[in-house]
Amino acid sequence: MRQAAGPVMAREVGEVGGVDVSVRSKLEPLRGKLVRLVDRGWLRKQPDGRFTVRL
């Protein structure tokens, strides 16, 4: 997240992390983890579904 120039989609995070993003069943658990980080206050989720680092 911090290396990105701006807000990123879960798919982009998966690509950098080495997750097979072409398979939805691999991408959804990653999205769930990102949402948990939003709930804990580490990330911010924008209305369009992109994630950013909370400042």
Side-chain angles (χ1 to χ4, degrees):
M1 292 286 185
R2 292 178 189 214
Q3 295 174 357
V8 295
M9 299 293 289
R11 177 175 304 276
E12 296 170 42
V13 175
E15 289 172 352
V16 172
V19 175
D20 183 12
V21 295
S22 64
V23 180
R24 187 176 182 108
S25 64
K26 302 275 185 181
L27 189 58
E28 289 304 318
L30 175 61
R31 184 172 289 124
K33 289 176 185 178
L34 293 173
V35 169
R36 280 196 301 258
L37 290 175
V38 169
D39 292 341
R40 293 177 183 166
W42 290 34
L43 297 178
R44 190 178 78 189
K45 185 175 181 185
Q46 296 185 336
D48 61 358
R50 295 183 296 166
F51 295 90
T52 61
V53 175
R54 183 168 297 277
L55 299 175

